[in-house]
Amino acid sequence: MAQLVKKIVTSKILLNKGKYCLYKCDGRFLGDSWVAGSCIDPSLGLNDDQKNIQSLAIDFARNELQPNMKKWDEEEFFPVEAMRKAASLGFGAVYCSEKFGGSGMSRLDTSIIFEALAQGCTSTTAYISIHNMCAWMIDEFGNEAQRGRWIPQLASMEKFASYCLTEPNNGSDAANLTLSAKRDGDHYILNGSKTFISGGGESDIYVLMCRTGEKGPKGISCIVIEKGTPGLDFGKKEKKVGWNSQPTRAVILEDCRVPVSHLIGQPGDGFKIAMKGLNGGRTNIASCSLGAAQACLEISRDYLKIRKQFNQPLENFQYLQFLLAEMATKVTASRLMVRQAAQALDEDWPEKVALCSMAKYFATEECFNVCNHAVQIHGGYGYLKDYPVQQHMRDCRVHQILEGTNEIMRLLVSRDILLEGQRKYS
Amino acid sequence: MSGLRILVGCKRVIDYAVKVRVRPDKLGVVTEGVKHSMNPFDEIAVEEAVRLKEKKLASEIIVASCGPQQNQETLRTALAMGADKAIHVLVEDKDYSNLQPIHVSKLLAKIAAEEKVDIVLLGKQAIDDDCNQTGQMLAAILDWPQGTFASKVVKKDGSLDVTREVDGGLETINIKLPAVITTDLRLNEPRYATLPNIMKAKKKPLTTKKPSDYGVEIKSSHQVLSVEDPPTREAGQKVESVDLLVAKLKEAGFMKS
């Protein structure tokens, strides 16, 4: 009873302390603020088709994701229904070919879609992008039978997918991974474990990199394992700072027999497949960061107009005006880099790997900073879970770490610049 | 009898979530650079038409919109939702401010006759002017029965059972085809377009016409004098007793002293 009284008293205090504090923090719609026609309009530079696609994604995010992002984070709920609904619109296999049920869109369209969806829920969108990356790897490198079997299931999200590369002892040093796959007749026997697998335990399809041959990258192969295969097990669900609408678990293989027909491509192709998948994964994750930052930018803009201190709205203070301008510029610069990297993938520029790496580290860092500034702008309220800025910040923090740490991104960029002689593009 | 032919009217309006601002010249609201989308009631109309087609009761859906070049966006959205072809009646920006329901209803009447449609589905009103006139005027011009504020439409033999939302509750009427229906909020929940449908919509036919092609002149019969913000809401007062309340009401002139 005392706790109930305390709750009522606290909320009354909040309500009275500032008439402005419990402003529409839950009721705000995406795009409510004066974005269209301004310099931060995400549709700048897009053609009509792209704008239509963006509209669709924004509507979906506004109606299906944004109202639930807080609850999903709090309850660590994996929103299967909502994601299947997204898949029914074509968001399950956005850049897979239409042949087996993909949507046949470009990487640039994909970036636009994920940026829009991430404004609604960054964590869920990030998972959807990982699922898309796995679907593409199968679509691009699998044979007709494999594509025919798995792509329709993944496009509709009847089945969910996870990307399994990282191991307890091999993160950035992925080329030296140790999970082994020994040939035994028409099966491989897999032993070892993967960590930090997004979707682990919930996903039905695991696109996994394993060692079938010699040391180093050339001995790695890519294989698909389905949940329920004997010998496939999962660790405990990790407790994370963010990305709480998707479970993260270790994936453990003990004498797990997987048919040779599940091998994607040829033995020894695995590392190449993994890296090519990651090029797209990097623009996708960067796009998710863009969405989080764009949302925080718009929310902060609204807040500056409503919150008053020293008898005037915060928007009158030059420091905050300048801060908002800097945040906006960071988002726009990041967006341009990400969209160009996507275009480089679409048009197969030789420099695409370095461009994707640049875009990934730049966007994930700058967009996290934007979200962080947004929390500061909101003062004490920014720290409360009632307000979405802290969730966007927590959710996009990990983008600087996964799909290739930002340090590895710098390595790839510097390698491209310092290389003498013939460039070997992958 | 082969499927019904349906004409759906769509209006491009300022998006419902946007905070509308009055123009400095106080003759309208700011529309430049503001997010626009299809009138929500028109989305419901398009959805109803698509559902009739899915039930194999309708064979073709034609969407029409009257307005400037940007109205083509709205038509493309309707095509992506499942309409078959689009007619854009191009009204230049300078004439658009004079465009009234009377003109739109005349244009739609001509299109309905030309396309030989059986049903015209419209939103009950547009969220920018809240006129609630086009459907009714159209029915009068065509001399067709009308089922307005429809929350349910059921096809019968040669007629429609339309459940209407009226002040007293729900009224169900039976109207002979061809007919005009205007949609209310609870008729259905519009679907999202899908990525494949957005791509397919690009190939669907969209013809541009002028009002003069239909013999309609856009001349306004009235002039907007001013557009202003509603008065800012003032704080209310709390009183301790009913007597005090009555005294205050009398003071403010709401009750005879």
Side-chain angles (χ1 to χ4, degrees):
Chain A
M1 184 61 190
Q3 286 210 313
L4 184 64
V5 171
K6 197 159 132 199
K7 225 175 170 181
I8 297 172
V9 167
T10 319
S11 53
K12 271 222 171 72
I13 289 174
L14 266 181
L15 270 168
N16 288 328
K17 202 129 204 174
K19 287 179 285 232
Y20 315 98
C21 64
L22 279 177
Y23 81 102
K24 261 180 2 169
C25 63
D26 278 333
R28 179 194 169 271
F29 296 110
L30 292 171
D32 233 12
S33 69
W34 200 259
V35 167
S38 75
C39 59
I40 60 170
D41 187 344
S43 70
L44 282 176
L46 298 183
N47 63 35
D48 281 339
D49 286 337
Q50 291 161 340
K51 283 187 193 172
N52 280 339
I53 293 170
Q54 189 180 56
S55 263
L56 170 62
I58 278 278
D59 279 343
F60 186 84
R62 180 199 273 184
N63 296 331
E64 313 288 337
L65 301 181
Q66 190 191 8
N68 297 314
M69 67 177 256
K70 177 167 162 231
K71 189 169 61 132
W72 291 342
D73 174 64
E74 234 165 64
E75 297 174 6
E76 294 188 19
F77 179 73
F78 188 57
V80 171
E81 282 306 308
M83 288 193 286
R84 286 196 172 134
K85 201 161 181 188
S88 73
L89 303 187
F91 296 152
V94 180
Y95 51 105
C96 289
S97 104
E98 288 169 282
K99 191 167 176 195
F100 290 101
S103 301
M105 304 265 105
S106 69
R107 300 305 180 109
L108 180 51
D109 296 327
T110 308
S111 169
I112 292 165
I113 290 170
F114 289 145
E115 181 187 337
L117 292 179
Q119 288 183 55
C121 180
T122 306
S123 163
T124 307
T125 307
Y127 174 75
I128 294 175
S129 78
I130 291 171
H131 173 97
N132 268 269
M133 176 172 69
C134 296
W136 179 81
M137 286 159 71
I138 297 175
D139 196 50
E140 180 76 2
F141 299 103
N143 59 38
E144 298 276 302
Q146 292 164 335
R147 295 166 75 194
R149 175 174 172 183
W150 286 313
I151 300 300
Q153 296 173 334
L154 292 175
S156 66
M157 282 191 170
E158 180 198 327
K159 301 228 162 124
F160 291 96
S162 285
Y163 176 92
C164 306
L165 175 66
T166 300
E167 297 183 357
N169 290 324
N170 290 80
S172 294
D173 194 13
N176 290 318
L177 61 85
T178 60
L179 192 153
S180 65
K182 294 207 162 38
R183 184 73 184 253
D184 177 34
D186 53 5
H187 280 79
Y188 280 103
I189 305 181
L190 275 70
N191 274 292
S193 62
K194 299 288 186 189
T195 49
F196 301 138
I197 302 307
S198 302
E202 293 283 347
S203 289
D204 311 280
I205 288 176
Y206 295 83
V207 180
L208 189 137
M209 269 41 79
C210 54
R211 188 164 298 288
T212 48
E214 78 236 45
K215 280 199 168 118
K218 292 211 178 72
I220 296 173
S221 302
C222 176
I223 199 163
V224 170
I225 309 175
E226 293 182 349
K227 186 160 99 163
T229 307
L232 173 68
D233 207 352
F234 305 101
K236 72 175 195 336
K237 183 172 165 190
E238 308 287 6
K239 288 194 161 69
K240 308 191 294 288
V241 166
W243 273 32
N244 289 321
S245 68
Q246 32 162 318
T248 305
R249 289 189 173 91
V251 171
I252 303 158
L253 293 115
E254 265 183 285
D255 293 329
C256 181
R257 298 180 68 85
V258 184
V260 170
S261 61
H262 282 205
L263 198 77
I264 304 286
Q266 297 303 315
D269 281 349
F271 194 71
K272 212 168 36 130
I273 294 173
M275 291 305 111
K276 288 197 166 168
L278 279 180
N279 282 334
R282 284 163 192 168
T283 50
N284 293 343
I285 274 295
S287 304
C288 294
S289 289
L290 280 176
Q294 179 72 17
C296 285
L297 189 51
E298 294 184 26
I299 295 169
S300 301
R301 176 205 179 268
D302 290 343
Y303 186 77
L304 290 180
K305 285 182 168 290
I306 298 173
R307 174 71 173 176
K308 286 198 173 133
Q309 284 288 270
F310 308 106
N311 258 324
Q312 37 188 330
L314 295 188
E315 66 168 324
N316 288 354
F317 294 103
Q318 195 179 63
Y319 176 80
L320 292 170
Q321 293 167 357
F322 285 9
L323 182 58
L324 196 68
E326 285 163 12
M327 287 161 67
T329 307
K330 290 190 167 119
V331 174
T332 304
S334 301
R335 185 175 289 132
L336 286 172
M337 290 212 66
V338 173
R339 287 187 180 171
Q340 188 191 58
Q343 189 190 353
L345 286 175
D346 284 329
E347 297 172 8
D348 201 23
W349 297 5
E351 307 82 5
K352 63 190 187 205
V353 172
L355 285 172
C356 287
S357 306
M358 271 183 170
K360 192 266 186 186
Y361 96 68
F362 186 83
T364 54
E365 274 172 26
E366 293 304 340
C367 291
F368 173 78
N369 292 338
V370 168
C371 296
N372 199 18
H373 284 312
V375 172
Q376 189 74 7
I377 283 173
H378 280 71
Y381 299 109
Y383 207 61
L384 300 183
K385 287 203 171 172
D386 299 274
Y387 289 73
V389 287
Q390 46 76 35
Q391 188 177 336
H392 284 300
M393 177 197 72
R394 286 186 290 111
D395 280 339
C396 75
R397 176 60 182 88
V398 73
H399 299 187
Q400 298 175 59
I401 298 172
L402 38 69
E403 306 230 3
T405 58
N406 286 2
E407 290 71 28
I408 290 292
M409 295 302 102
R410 287 168 164 88
L411 196 89
L412 292 173
V413 172
S414 63
R415 190 186 281 176
D416 183 72
I417 301 170
L418 291 170
L419 189 61
E420 303 278 33
Q422 185 67 29
R423 278 194 162 72
K424 197 176 61 167
Y425 294 106
S426 64
Chain B
M1 172 192 166
S2 69
L4 301 167
R5 294 174 60 75
I6 306 181
L7 173 65
V8 185
C10 303
K11 190 177 181 186
R12 178 175 177 266
V13 297
I14 295 178
D15 188 84
Y16 77 91
V18 170
K19 291 191 194 72
V20 175
R21 316 275 150 139
V22 175
R23 279 201 331 239
D25 65 7
K26 292 208 182 243
L27 287 174
V29 296
V30 180
T31 53
E32 277 283 317
V34 173
K35 178 156 191 244
H36 283 65
S37 46
M38 193 191 302
N39 184 34
F41 295 110
D42 299 348
E43 272 179 6
I44 293 174
V46 174
E47 174 66 23
E48 194 62 20
V50 174
R51 287 190 189 187
L52 285 169
K53 191 164 172 218
E54 283 171 348
K55 287 187 203 145
K56 306 260 195 292
L57 297 170
S59 60
E60 195 174 15
I61 304 169
I62 303 133
V63 284
S65 189
C66 309
Q69 186 61 25
Q70 296 95 310
N71 279 45
Q72 295 203 0
E73 285 165 26
T74 312
L75 288 170
R76 289 275 168 224
T77 306
L79 290 171
M81 282 173 73
D84 299 300
K85 70 182 210 197
I87 297 173
H88 173 213
V89 182
L90 180 59
V91 177
E92 301 290 353
D93 279 311
K94 57 176 168 49
D95 295 320
Y96 190 59
S97 45
N98 290 333
L99 190 69
Q100 291 290 310
I102 185 72
H103 307 119
V104 177
S105 50
K106 286 182 182 163
L107 287 163
L108 288 177
K110 286 269 158 55
I111 297 174
E114 232 174 63
E115 296 288 336
K116 300 199 187 37
V117 300
D118 305 294
I119 301 178
V120 182
L121 270 163
L122 302 174
K124 70 173 181 182
Q125 65 198 59
I127 60 171
D128 52 5
D129 55 21
D130 282 335
C131 283
N132 188 354
Q133 297 169 8
T134 308
Q136 291 88 334
M137 286 177 169
L138 176 63
I141 295 172
L142 289 169
D143 198 24
W144 287 5
Q146 55 181 274
T148 53
F149 314 112
S151 65
K152 194 164 167 197
V153 177
V154 178
K155 180 166 183 304
K156 290 274 148 80
D157 204 12
S159 68
L160 298 170
D161 273 350
V162 181
T163 306
R164 309 176 55 228
E165 294 193 4
V166 296
D167 288 341
L170 294 173
E171 174 196 61
T172 306
I173 56 173
N174 179 275
I175 53 177
K176 285 205 183 63
L177 288 170
V180 174
I181 310 272
T182 71
T183 65
D184 210 324
L185 199 61
R186 280 151 286 272
L187 178 58
N188 62 46
E189 200 176 310
R191 65 193 60 196
Y192 293 106
T194 63
L195 285 181
N197 284 344
I198 290 178
M199 291 295 110
K200 277 193 213 138
K202 287 181 6 177
K203 303 195 189 90
K204 291 183 181 175
L206 192 159
T207 35
T208 307
K209 293 281 225 280
K210 295 193 297 293
S212 52
D213 293 340
Y214 295 106
V216 176
E217 203 191 332
I218 313 293
K219 211 167 52 161
S220 184
S221 50
H222 60 251
Q223 181 197 7
V224 173
L225 295 176
S226 83
V227 174
E228 288 163 18
D229 280 302
T232 40
R233 198 172 161 182
E234 284 162 22
Q237 293 172 42
K238 267 171 124 163
V239 291
E240 295 301 319
S241 72
V242 176
D243 290 326
L244 253 174
L245 174 63
V246 172
K248 289 229 180 245
L249 285 172
K250 283 188 178 156
E251 216 177 274
F254 294 118
M255 277 179 70
K256 280 207 265 281
S257 294

